[in-house]
Short mmCIF file of all heavy atoms in Angstrom, two decimals:
data_model
loop_
_atom_site.label_atom_id
_atom_site.label_comp_id
_atom_site.label_asym_id
_atom_site.label_seq_id
_atom_site.Cartn_x
_atom_site.Cartn_y
_atom_site.Cartn_z
N ASP B 1 -0.72 -8.93 12.45
CA ASP B 1 0.06 -9.73 11.51
C ASP B 1 -0.76 -9.99 10.24
O ASP B 1 -1.83 -10.58 10.29
CB ASP B 1 0.46 -11.05 12.16
CG ASP B 1 1.36 -11.90 11.27
OD1 ASP B 1 1.64 -11.47 10.12
OD2 ASP B 1 1.76 -12.99 11.70
N SER B 2 -0.24 -9.53 9.11
CA SER B 2 -0.99 -9.62 7.85
C SER B 2 -0.94 -11.01 7.25
O SER B 2 -1.75 -11.35 6.39
CB SER B 2 -0.42 -8.62 6.84
OG SER B 2 0.90 -9.00 6.47
N GLY B 3 0.04 -11.83 7.66
CA GLY B 3 0.21 -13.14 7.06
C GLY B 3 1.21 -13.13 5.92
O GLY B 3 1.57 -14.19 5.40
N VAL B 4 1.69 -11.96 5.54
CA VAL B 4 2.72 -11.84 4.51
C VAL B 4 4.08 -11.74 5.21
O VAL B 4 4.24 -10.92 6.12
CB VAL B 4 2.50 -10.59 3.64
CG1 VAL B 4 3.61 -10.43 2.61
CG2 VAL B 4 1.13 -10.65 2.96
N THR B 5 5.01 -12.56 4.78
CA THR B 5 6.32 -12.51 5.40
C THR B 5 7.37 -12.06 4.40
O THR B 5 7.27 -12.35 3.20
CB THR B 5 6.74 -13.89 5.97
OG1 THR B 5 6.76 -14.85 4.90
CG2 THR B 5 5.76 -14.35 7.03
N GLN B 6 8.33 -11.31 4.91
CA GLN B 6 9.42 -10.81 4.08
C GLN B 6 10.74 -11.06 4.78
O GLN B 6 10.85 -10.87 5.99
CB GLN B 6 9.27 -9.30 3.82
CG GLN B 6 8.12 -8.94 2.91
CD GLN B 6 8.11 -7.45 2.58
OE1 GLN B 6 7.23 -6.72 3.02
NE2 GLN B 6 9.08 -7.04 1.79
N THR B 7 11.72 -11.48 4.01
CA THR B 7 13.07 -11.65 4.55
C THR B 7 14.08 -11.08 3.57
O THR B 7 13.85 -11.07 2.35
CB THR B 7 13.39 -13.13 4.78
OG1 THR B 7 13.21 -13.85 3.55
CG2 THR B 7 12.52 -13.73 5.87
N PRO B 8 15.19 -10.53 4.07
CA PRO B 8 15.45 -10.27 5.48
C PRO B 8 14.74 -9.00 5.94
O PRO B 8 14.16 -8.29 5.13
CB PRO B 8 16.97 -10.07 5.49
CG PRO B 8 17.27 -9.46 4.16
CD PRO B 8 16.30 -10.09 3.20
N LYS B 9 14.80 -8.71 7.21
CA LYS B 9 14.19 -7.47 7.71
C LYS B 9 15.07 -6.28 7.40
O LYS B 9 14.60 -5.19 7.09
CB LYS B 9 13.98 -7.56 9.23
CG LYS B 9 12.82 -8.43 9.63
CD LYS B 9 12.57 -8.36 11.13
CE LYS B 9 11.39 -9.24 11.50
NZ LYS B 9 11.13 -9.23 12.95
N LEU B 11 18.95 -5.13 5.50
CA LEU B 11 20.01 -5.53 4.60
C LEU B 11 20.92 -4.33 4.39
O LEU B 11 20.45 -3.25 4.01
CB LEU B 11 19.41 -5.98 3.27
CG LEU B 11 20.20 -6.81 2.29
CD1 LEU B 11 20.86 -7.99 2.98
CD2 LEU B 11 19.30 -7.29 1.18
N VAL B 19 21.41 -7.80 -4.51
CA VAL B 19 20.72 -8.43 -3.38
C VAL B 19 19.41 -9.03 -3.85
O VAL B 19 18.88 -8.67 -4.91
CB VAL B 19 20.43 -7.40 -2.25
CG1 VAL B 19 21.73 -6.85 -1.66
CG2 VAL B 19 19.53 -6.29 -2.75
N THR B 20 18.90 -9.96 -3.06
CA THR B 20 17.61 -10.58 -3.34
C THR B 20 16.72 -10.46 -2.12
O THR B 20 17.12 -10.84 -1.01
CB THR B 20 17.78 -12.07 -3.70
OG1 THR B 20 18.57 -12.17 -4.90
CG2 THR B 20 16.43 -12.72 -3.92
N LEU B 21 15.54 -9.93 -2.33
CA LEU B 21 14.54 -9.80 -1.26
C LEU B 21 13.47 -10.86 -1.51
O LEU B 21 13.05 -11.07 -2.66
CB LEU B 21 13.90 -8.40 -1.28
CG LEU B 21 14.86 -7.21 -1.37
CD1 LEU B 21 14.07 -5.91 -1.27
CD2 LEU B 21 15.92 -7.28 -0.30
N ARG B 22 13.02 -11.46 -0.44
CA ARG B 22 12.08 -12.57 -0.57
C ARG B 22 10.75 -12.25 0.10
O ARG B 22 10.71 -11.58 1.12
CB ARG B 22 12.67 -13.83 0.06
CG ARG B 22 11.80 -15.05 -0.06
CD ARG B 22 12.38 -16.23 0.71
NE ARG B 22 11.41 -17.31 0.80
CZ ARG B 22 11.47 -18.40 0.04
NH1 ARG B 22 12.43 -18.55 -0.83
NH2 ARG B 22 10.56 -19.34 0.17
N CYS B 23 9.68 -12.75 -0.51
CA CYS B 23 8.33 -12.50 0.00
C CYS B 23 7.52 -13.78 -0.08
O CYS B 23 7.48 -14.45 -1.12
CB CYS B 23 7.66 -11.41 -0.83
SG CYS B 23 5.88 -11.22 -0.54
N SER B 24 6.85 -14.12 1.02
CA SER B 24 5.89 -15.21 1.02
C SER B 24 4.51 -14.65 1.23
O SER B 24 4.25 -14.01 2.26
CB SER B 24 6.23 -16.21 2.13
OG SER B 24 7.44 -16.87 1.85
N PRO B 25 3.61 -14.84 0.26
CA PRO B 25 2.28 -14.25 0.38
C PRO B 25 1.43 -14.99 1.40
O PRO B 25 1.82 -16.04 1.90
CB PRO B 25 1.71 -14.41 -1.03
CG PRO B 25 2.39 -15.63 -1.57
CD PRO B 25 3.77 -15.60 -0.98
N ARG B 26 0.27 -14.43 1.71
CA ARG B 26 -0.69 -15.12 2.56
C ARG B 26 -1.11 -16.41 1.88
O ARG B 26 -1.16 -16.49 0.65
CB ARG B 26 -1.93 -14.25 2.78
CG ARG B 26 -1.74 -13.01 3.57
CD ARG B 26 -3.08 -12.33 3.85
NE ARG B 26 -4.02 -12.46 2.75
CZ ARG B 26 -5.33 -12.49 2.89
NH1 ARG B 26 -5.87 -12.39 4.11
NH2 ARG B 26 -6.12 -12.59 1.84
N SER B 27 -1.44 -17.38 2.69
CA SER B 27 -1.87 -18.66 2.15
C SER B 27 -3.09 -18.46 1.25
O SER B 27 -4.07 -17.83 1.65
CB SER B 27 -2.23 -19.60 3.31
OG SER B 27 -2.74 -20.81 2.82
N GLY B 28 -3.00 -18.96 0.03
CA GLY B 28 -4.12 -18.85 -0.90
C GLY B 28 -4.10 -17.64 -1.80
O GLY B 28 -4.87 -17.58 -2.76
N ASP B 29 -3.25 -16.66 -1.51
CA ASP B 29 -3.20 -15.46 -2.35
C ASP B 29 -2.38 -15.73 -3.60
O ASP B 29 -1.27 -16.25 -3.54
CB ASP B 29 -2.58 -14.28 -1.58
CG ASP B 29 -3.55 -13.68 -0.59
OD1 ASP B 29 -4.69 -14.18 -0.49
OD2 ASP B 29 -3.16 -12.70 0.08
N LEU B 30 -2.94 -15.36 -4.75
CA LEU B 30 -2.28 -15.62 -6.02
C LEU B 30 -1.47 -14.42 -6.52
O LEU B 30 -0.60 -14.57 -7.37
CB LEU B 30 -3.32 -15.99 -7.08
CG LEU B 30 -4.13 -17.27 -6.79
CD1 LEU B 30 -5.18 -17.47 -7.87
CD2 LEU B 30 -3.22 -18.48 -6.70
N SER B 31 -1.82 -13.25 -6.04
CA SER B 31 -1.15 -12.02 -6.50
C SER B 31 -0.11 -11.56 -5.51
O SER B 31 -0.33 -11.58 -4.30
CB SER B 31 -2.17 -10.90 -6.68
OG SER B 31 -2.73 -10.90 -7.97
N VAL B 32 1.03 -11.12 -6.05
CA VAL B 32 2.09 -10.52 -5.25
C VAL B 32 2.47 -9.18 -5.88
O VAL B 32 2.61 -9.09 -7.10
CB VAL B 32 3.33 -11.43 -5.16
CG1 VAL B 32 4.49 -10.67 -4.54
CG2 VAL B 32 3.03 -12.68 -4.36
N TYR B 33 2.62 -8.18 -5.04
CA TYR B 33 2.98 -6.84 -5.49
C TYR B 33 4.24 -6.41 -4.74
O TYR B 33 4.42 -6.73 -3.57
CB TYR B 33 1.87 -5.84 -5.17
CG TYR B 33 0.47 -6.24 -5.61
CD1 TYR B 33 -0.27 -7.15 -4.86
CD2 TYR B 33 -0.10 -5.69 -6.75
CE1 TYR B 33 -1.55 -7.51 -5.24
CE2 TYR B 33 -1.39 -6.05 -7.13
CZ TYR B 33 -2.10 -6.96 -6.38
OH TYR B 33 -3.38 -7.31 -6.77
N TRP B 34 5.07 -5.64 -5.40
CA TRP B 34 6.25 -5.05 -4.76
C TRP B 34 6.15 -3.53 -4.83
O TRP B 34 5.79 -2.96 -5.86
CB TRP B 34 7.53 -5.50 -5.45
CG TRP B 34 7.93 -6.91 -5.16
CD1 TRP B 34 7.68 -8.01 -5.93
CD2 TRP B 34 8.66 -7.38 -4.02
NE1 TRP B 34 8.20 -9.13 -5.32
CE2 TRP B 34 8.81 -8.77 -4.16
CE3 TRP B 34 9.21 -6.76 -2.89
CZ2 TRP B 34 9.48 -9.55 -3.21
CZ3 TRP B 34 9.87 -7.52 -1.95
CH2 TRP B 34 10.00 -8.91 -2.12
N TYR B 35 6.49 -2.90 -3.69
CA TYR B 35 6.48 -1.44 -3.58
C TYR B 35 7.80 -0.99 -2.97
O TYR B 35 8.40 -1.70 -2.16
CB TYR B 35 5.34 -0.96 -2.69
CG TYR B 35 3.96 -1.19 -3.24
CD1 TYR B 35 3.32 -2.41 -3.08
CD2 TYR B 35 3.28 -0.18 -3.92
CE1 TYR B 35 2.05 -2.63 -3.59
CE2 TYR B 35 2.00 -0.38 -4.42
CZ TYR B 35 1.39 -1.61 -4.26
OH TYR B 35 0.13 -1.82 -4.76
N LEU B 46 6.09 -1.05 -7.84
CA LEU B 46 7.16 -1.54 -8.72
C LEU B 46 6.62 -2.55 -9.74
O LEU B 46 6.77 -2.38 -10.94
CB LEU B 46 8.27 -2.18 -7.90
CG LEU B 46 9.06 -1.25 -6.99
CD1 LEU B 46 10.11 -2.04 -6.21
CD2 LEU B 46 9.72 -0.13 -7.78
N ILE B 47 6.00 -3.63 -9.24
CA ILE B 47 5.61 -4.70 -10.15
C ILE B 47 4.56 -5.58 -9.50
O ILE B 47 4.47 -5.65 -8.27
CB ILE B 47 6.85 -5.52 -10.57
CG1 ILE B 47 6.60 -6.31 -11.84
CG2 ILE B 47 7.35 -6.38 -9.40
CD1 ILE B 47 7.89 -6.79 -12.51
N HIS B 48 3.75 -6.24 -10.34
CA HIS B 48 2.67 -7.12 -9.87
C HIS B 48 2.76 -8.46 -10.61
O HIS B 48 2.88 -8.49 -11.84
CB HIS B 48 1.32 -6.45 -10.13
CG HIS B 48 0.13 -7.36 -10.01
ND1 HIS B 48 -1.01 -7.18 -10.76
CD2 HIS B 48 -0.10 -8.43 -9.22
CE1 HIS B 48 -1.89 -8.11 -10.43
NE2 HIS B 48 -1.37 -8.89 -9.50
N TYR B 49 2.72 -9.53 -9.86
CA TYR B 49 2.67 -10.88 -10.42
C TYR B 49 1.38 -11.56 -10.01
O TYR B 49 0.92 -11.40 -8.86
CB TYR B 49 3.86 -11.72 -9.94
CG TYR B 49 5.09 -11.50 -10.76
CD1 TYR B 49 5.94 -10.43 -10.49
CD2 TYR B 49 5.42 -12.36 -11.81
CE1 TYR B 49 7.07 -10.21 -11.26
CE2 TYR B 49 6.55 -12.15 -12.58
CZ TYR B 49 7.38 -11.07 -12.30
OH TYR B 49 8.50 -10.86 -13.05
N TYR B 50 0.82 -12.28 -10.93
CA TYR B 50 -0.39 -13.05 -10.63
C TYR B 50 -0.14 -14.50 -11.07
O TYR B 50 0.09 -14.76 -12.26
CB TYR B 50 -1.60 -12.48 -11.36
CG TYR B 50 -2.84 -13.31 -11.26
CD1 TYR B 50 -3.57 -13.36 -10.07
CD2 TYR B 50 -3.29 -14.08 -12.34
CE1 TYR B 50 -4.71 -14.14 -9.96
CE2 TYR B 50 -4.42 -14.85 -12.23
CZ TYR B 50 -5.13 -14.88 -11.05
OH TYR B 50 -6.26 -15.66 -10.94
N GLY B 52 2.29 -16.44 -11.02
CA GLY B 52 3.54 -16.71 -11.71
C GLY B 52 3.81 -15.83 -12.92
O GLY B 52 4.92 -15.87 -13.48
N SER B 65 14.63 -6.70 -11.00
CA SER B 65 13.79 -7.70 -11.63
C SER B 65 13.09 -8.50 -10.55
O SER B 65 13.52 -8.51 -9.38
CB SER B 65 14.62 -8.63 -12.52
OG SER B 65 15.52 -9.38 -11.73
N ALA B 66 12.03 -9.15 -10.92
CA ALA B 66 11.28 -9.94 -9.94
C ALA B 66 10.77 -11.20 -10.61
O ALA B 66 10.73 -11.31 -11.84
CB ALA B 66 10.12 -9.13 -9.37
N GLN B 67 10.39 -12.15 -9.80
CA GLN B 67 9.71 -13.33 -10.30
C GLN B 67 8.85 -13.93 -9.20
O GLN B 67 9.09 -13.70 -8.02
CB GLN B 67 10.71 -14.36 -10.83
CG GLN B 67 11.81 -14.77 -9.89
CD GLN B 67 12.80 -15.72 -10.56
OE1 GLN B 67 12.41 -16.53 -11.41
NE2 GLN B 67 14.05 -15.64 -10.19
N GLN B 68 7.86 -14.69 -9.64
CA GLN B 68 7.01 -15.41 -8.71
C GLN B 68 7.11 -16.89 -9.05
O GLN B 68 6.93 -17.29 -10.20
CB GLN B 68 5.56 -14.94 -8.81
CG GLN B 68 4.64 -15.57 -7.76
CD GLN B 68 3.20 -15.11 -7.87
OE1 GLN B 68 2.75 -14.71 -8.93
NE2 GLN B 68 2.47 -15.17 -6.77
N PHE B 69 7.39 -17.68 -8.08
CA PHE B 69 7.68 -19.10 -8.28
C PHE B 69 6.40 -19.93 -8.19
O PHE B 69 5.37 -19.44 -7.75
CB PHE B 69 8.69 -19.54 -7.22
CG PHE B 69 10.02 -18.88 -7.39
CD1 PHE B 69 10.29 -17.66 -6.80
CD2 PHE B 69 11.02 -19.46 -8.17
CE1 PHE B 69 11.52 -17.01 -6.96
CE2 PHE B 69 12.26 -18.84 -8.33
CZ PHE B 69 12.49 -17.62 -7.74
N PRO B 70 6.48 -21.21 -8.61
CA PRO B 70 5.28 -22.07 -8.57
C PRO B 70 4.63 -22.17 -7.19
O PRO B 70 3.41 -22.35 -7.10
CB PRO B 70 5.80 -23.42 -9.06
CG PRO B 70 6.94 -23.06 -9.97
CD PRO B 70 7.59 -21.87 -9.33
N ASP B 71 5.42 -22.06 -6.13
CA ASP B 71 4.80 -22.11 -4.80
C ASP B 71 4.26 -20.74 -4.38
O ASP B 71 3.83 -20.56 -3.26
CB ASP B 71 5.79 -22.62 -3.75
CG ASP B 71 6.96 -21.65 -3.53
OD1 ASP B 71 7.07 -20.65 -4.27
OD2 ASP B 71 7.76 -21.88 -2.60
N LEU B 72 4.29 -19.79 -5.29
CA LEU B 72 3.74 -18.44 -5.18
C LEU B 72 4.59 -17.45 -4.40
O LEU B 72 4.24 -16.26 -4.35
CB LEU B 72 2.30 -18.45 -4.62
CG LEU B 72 1.30 -19.26 -5.45
CD1 LEU B 72 -0.05 -19.30 -4.77
CD2 LEU B 72 1.18 -18.68 -6.86
N HIS B 73 5.71 -17.90 -3.83
CA HIS B 73 6.56 -16.90 -3.20
C HIS B 73 7.23 -16.07 -4.30
O HIS B 73 7.29 -16.49 -5.47
CB HIS B 73 7.58 -17.53 -2.24
CG HIS B 73 8.89 -17.90 -2.85
ND1 HIS B 73 9.14 -19.14 -3.43
CD2 HIS B 73 10.04 -17.20 -2.93
CE1 HIS B 73 10.38 -19.17 -3.86
NE2 HIS B 73 10.96 -18.01 -3.57
N SER B 74 7.71 -14.92 -3.92
CA SER B 74 8.28 -14.02 -4.92
C SER B 74 9.63 -13.50 -4.44
O SER B 74 9.90 -13.44 -3.24
CB SER B 74 7.34 -12.83 -5.16
OG SER B 74 7.89 -11.91 -6.08
N GLU B 75 10.48 -13.17 -5.39
CA GLU B 75 11.76 -12.56 -5.10
C GLU B 75 11.94 -11.31 -5.94
O GLU B 75 11.55 -11.27 -7.11
CB GLU B 75 12.91 -13.54 -5.37
CG GLU B 75 12.91 -14.72 -4.43
CD GLU B 75 14.05 -15.68 -4.68
OE1 GLU B 75 14.80 -15.50 -5.66
OE2 GLU B 75 14.19 -16.64 -3.89
N LEU B 76 12.51 -10.30 -5.31
CA LEU B 76 12.85 -9.05 -5.99
C LEU B 76 14.36 -8.95 -6.00
O LEU B 76 15.00 -8.97 -4.94
CB LEU B 76 12.24 -7.86 -5.26
CG LEU B 76 12.53 -6.47 -5.85
CD1 LEU B 76 11.86 -6.31 -7.21
CD2 LEU B 76 12.05 -5.37 -4.90
N ASN B 77 14.94 -8.92 -7.18
CA ASN B 77 16.38 -8.84 -7.33
C ASN B 77 16.79 -7.42 -7.70
O ASN B 77 16.28 -6.85 -8.67
CB ASN B 77 16.84 -9.80 -8.43
CG ASN B 77 16.49 -11.23 -8.11
OD1 ASN B 77 16.98 -11.80 -7.14
ND2 ASN B 77 15.61 -11.83 -8.91
N LEU B 78 17.73 -6.89 -6.94
CA LEU B 78 18.22 -5.54 -7.17
C LEU B 78 19.72 -5.64 -7.46
O LEU B 78 20.47 -6.19 -6.65
CB LEU B 78 17.99 -4.65 -5.94
CG LEU B 78 16.61 -4.74 -5.27
CD1 LEU B 78 16.59 -3.89 -4.00
CD2 LEU B 78 15.52 -4.33 -6.21
N TYR B 89 11.40 -1.75 1.19
CA TYR B 89 10.75 -2.48 0.11
C TYR B 89 9.65 -3.35 0.72
O TYR B 89 9.91 -4.20 1.57
CB TYR B 89 11.75 -3.33 -0.66
CG TYR B 89 12.71 -2.48 -1.45
CD1 TYR B 89 13.84 -1.92 -0.85
CD2 TYR B 89 12.46 -2.17 -2.79
CE1 TYR B 89 14.70 -1.10 -1.56
CE2 TYR B 89 13.32 -1.36 -3.51
CZ TYR B 89 14.43 -0.82 -2.89
OH TYR B 89 15.28 0.00 -3.59
N PHE B 90 8.42 -3.10 0.27
CA PHE B 90 7.28 -3.84 0.79
C PHE B 90 6.75 -4.80 -0.27
O PHE B 90 6.69 -4.48 -1.46
CB PHE B 90 6.15 -2.89 1.18
CG PHE B 90 6.42 -2.06 2.40
CD1 PHE B 90 6.74 -0.72 2.27
CD2 PHE B 90 6.36 -2.63 3.65
CE1 PHE B 90 7.00 0.06 3.39
CE2 PHE B 90 6.61 -1.86 4.79
CZ PHE B 90 6.94 -0.52 4.65
N CYS B 91 6.34 -5.93 0.21
CA CYS B 91 5.62 -6.89 -0.60
C CYS B 91 4.19 -6.92 -0.10
O CYS B 91 3.94 -6.77 1.10
CB CYS B 91 6.29 -8.26 -0.43
SG CYS B 91 5.33 -9.64 -1.03
N ALA B 92 3.25 -7.09 -1.02
CA ALA B 92 1.85 -7.22 -0.64
C ALA B 92 1.27 -8.39 -1.42
O ALA B 92 1.78 -8.76 -2.47
CB ALA B 92 1.08 -5.94 -0.95
N SER B 93 0.20 -8.96 -0.89
CA SER B 93 -0.46 -10.03 -1.63
C SER B 93 -1.97 -9.84 -1.58
O SER B 93 -2.50 -9.14 -0.70
CB SER B 93 -0.06 -11.41 -1.08
OG SER B 93 -0.68 -11.69 0.16
N SER B 94 -2.62 -10.44 -2.54
CA SER B 94 -4.08 -10.42 -2.55
C SER B 94 -4.56 -11.70 -3.20
O SER B 94 -3.80 -12.39 -3.89
CB SER B 94 -4.62 -9.19 -3.30
OG SER B 94 -4.31 -9.27 -4.68
N GLN B 102 -5.22 -5.48 -0.62
CA GLN B 102 -3.83 -5.92 -0.60
C GLN B 102 -3.36 -5.96 0.84
O GLN B 102 -3.61 -5.04 1.61
CB GLN B 102 -2.96 -4.98 -1.42
CG GLN B 102 -3.26 -5.05 -2.92
CD GLN B 102 -2.29 -4.25 -3.76
OE1 GLN B 102 -1.23 -3.83 -3.29
NE2 GLN B 102 -2.65 -4.02 -5.01
N TYR B 103 -2.67 -7.02 1.18
CA TYR B 103 -2.13 -7.22 2.52
C TYR B 103 -0.62 -7.07 2.45
O TYR B 103 0.02 -7.79 1.67
CB TYR B 103 -2.54 -8.59 3.08
CG TYR B 103 -4.02 -8.73 3.25
CD1 TYR B 103 -4.81 -9.20 2.21
CD2 TYR B 103 -4.65 -8.38 4.45
CE1 TYR B 103 -6.19 -9.31 2.35
CE2 TYR B 103 -6.02 -8.48 4.60
CZ TYR B 103 -6.78 -8.94 3.55
OH TYR B 103 -8.14 -9.04 3.69
N PHE B 104 -0.10 -6.17 3.24
CA PHE B 104 1.32 -5.83 3.16
C PHE B 104 2.14 -6.55 4.21
O PHE B 104 1.70 -6.77 5.34
CB PHE B 104 1.51 -4.32 3.35
CG PHE B 104 1.15 -3.51 2.15
CD1 PHE B 104 -0.18 -3.26 1.84
CD2 PHE B 104 2.14 -3.01 1.31
CE1 PHE B 104 -0.51 -2.51 0.72
CE2 PHE B 104 1.82 -2.25 0.19
CZ PHE B 104 0.48 -2.01 -0.10
N GLY B 105 3.36 -6.89 3.81
CA GLY B 105 4.31 -7.44 4.75
C GLY B 105 4.99 -6.34 5.55
O GLY B 105 4.73 -5.16 5.32
N PRO B 106 5.89 -6.72 6.46
CA PRO B 106 6.56 -5.75 7.33
C PRO B 106 7.68 -4.97 6.64
O PRO B 106 8.17 -3.99 7.18
CB PRO B 106 7.12 -6.61 8.46
CG PRO B 106 7.32 -7.94 7.82
CD PRO B 106 6.23 -8.10 6.81
N GLY B 107 8.06 -5.42 5.46
CA GLY B 107 9.08 -4.70 4.70
C GLY B 107 10.50 -5.17 4.94
O GLY B 107 10.80 -5.81 5.95
N THR B 108 11.35 -4.86 3.98
CA THR B 108 12.79 -5.06 4.10
C THR B 108 13.44 -3.69 3.97
O THR B 108 13.21 -2.98 2.99
CB THR B 108 13.34 -5.98 3.00
OG1 THR B 108 12.83 -7.30 3.18
CG2 THR B 108 14.87 -6.01 3.02
#
Side-chain angles (χ1 to χ4, degrees):
Chain B
D1 184 358
S2 67
V4 177
T5 60
Q6 289 186 249
T7 56
K9 285 186 179 178
L11 198 48
V19 297
T20 298
L21 312 184
R22 182 186 169 102
C23 168
S24 293
R26 293 187 324 151
S27 176
D29 284 1
L30 298 177
S31 272
V32 170
Y33 310 79
W34 286 97
Y35 293 84
L46 294 178
I47 199 163
H48 166 211
Y49 275 84
Y50 172 74
S65 65
Q67 53 184 327
Q68 185 181 26
F69 295 88
D71 67 353
L72 300 176
H73 90 271
S74 177
E75 293 181 355
L76 179 67
N77 300 296
L78 315 175
Y89 291 84
F90 289 105
C91 166
S93 74
S94 67
Q102 292 187 14
Y103 296 89
F104 283 77
T108 293

